[in-house]
Amino acid sequence: MLWRTLPLLETTVFVLVGMAWRAWLQARRTGRSGIMLFRGGAVQAFRDAGILLLVLAFLGQGVALLAGRIDAVRPSWAIAGTLLVVVGTTLMVMAQLDMGASWRVGIDETSKPGLVTTRWYAFCRNPIYLFMFVVFGGLALQLPTTFSVVLFVGLCLGVAWQVRHEEAFLERTYGEEFRAYARRVGRFVPWLGRLDGASSARA
């Protein structure tokens, strides 16, 4: 029964800590929650809704596993998946806290709180998303269905699309400061996805 409970519990904790608690902390510190979803036109709303639906679908898979509609994986897979979720969630929260007042969910075209380039952001430009991949990869290991794999791939593609738009916004907002940073630091992992001298984040 434990292995059937864990994916739903882990996804719930991920949402509560990574979204609800972080938004509460941001509001307490800055007066604004940092949640900027569905504020950038139809295309942005489509991206925001897609990623949220994918997260909700993982919650639904967790419910299906708990209800016995999905076969549980062997304990070794469940342990490995749980470790990925715990480590990924912990590191994601650390990366969120590294952003300080600049933390946002979505794109806020009206603010310029400062470009964060230190701590985890010296390792890669998008550590929050990188650790999200780790979390949902761990969940997919514990949810042995084709649908879970499709959800994970869809999440990765949706996040990659979102990142391109976020980085185009950062380039518009911070100009050469962002381009210099993007030439030094990879998009999701070190040395990969760096801009060359003639490139733009809009590419």
Side-chain angles (χ1 to χ4, degrees):
M1 186 65 177
L2 173 64
W3 309 125
R4 291 188 175 277
T5 304
L6 283 175
L8 179 59
L9 177 62
E10 292 162 3
T11 310
T12 302
V13 169
F14 170 84
V15 172
L16 290 176
V17 174
M19 291 284 290
W21 175 80
R22 187 62 183 89
W24 171 83
L25 182 64
Q26 188 77 357
R28 184 177 181 183
R29 289 178 171 178
T30 68
R32 302 181 67 185
S33 70
I35 303 296
M36 308 302 299
L37 300 175
F38 306 107
R39 302 189 187 187
V43 175
Q44 182 62 48
F46 177 78
R47 289 196 299 270
D48 293 342
I51 292 175
L52 288 175
L53 286 173
L54 286 167
V55 174
L56 289 173
F58 267 104
L59 278 169
Q61 287 285 91
V63 171
L65 179 63
L66 183 60
R69 298 190 177 184
I70 297 175
D71 292 333
V73 296
R74 66 184 67 177
S76 58
W77 284 56
I79 292 169
T82 296
L83 287 173
L84 287 174
V85 172
V86 170
V87 171
T89 301
T90 301
L91 294 178
M92 183 193 73
V93 171
M94 290 173 61
Q96 288 179 332
L97 294 174
D98 285 347
M99 290 200 74
S102 296
W103 181 78
R104 298 286 187 278
V105 176
I107 297 174
D108 182 4
E109 296 277 358
T110 64
S111 69
K112 189 178 179 180
L115 185 66
V116 179
T117 61
T118 58
R119 298 185 180 180
W120 278 113
Y121 294 85
F123 175 77
C124 72
R125 302 199 301 271
N126 297 281
I128 293 174
Y129 289 131
L130 170 64
F131 299 136
M132 279 180 60
F133 295 156
V134 173
V135 169
F136 286 96
L139 288 170
L141 276 180
Q142 299 172 74
L143 296 164
T145 68
T146 301
F147 186 48
S148 295
V149 175
V150 171
L151 289 176
F152 178 65
V153 172
L155 181 75
C156 292
L157 293 175
V159 165
W161 186 24
Q162 175 69 11
V163 163
R164 288 186 176 274
H165 287 268
E166 289 183 359
E167 292 197 337
F169 161 72
L170 292 173
E171 185 177 12
R172 292 195 305 273
T173 303
Y174 297 102
E176 182 56 31
E177 181 184 4
F178 173 77
R179 287 190 290 273
Y181 168 59
R183 285 194 287 268
R184 297 193 311 270
V185 179
R187 177 168 278 155
F188 293 112
V189 293
W191 310 297
L192 293 178
R194 292 186 298 185
L195 298 185
D196 60 36
S199 294
S200 165
R202 299 182 181 90

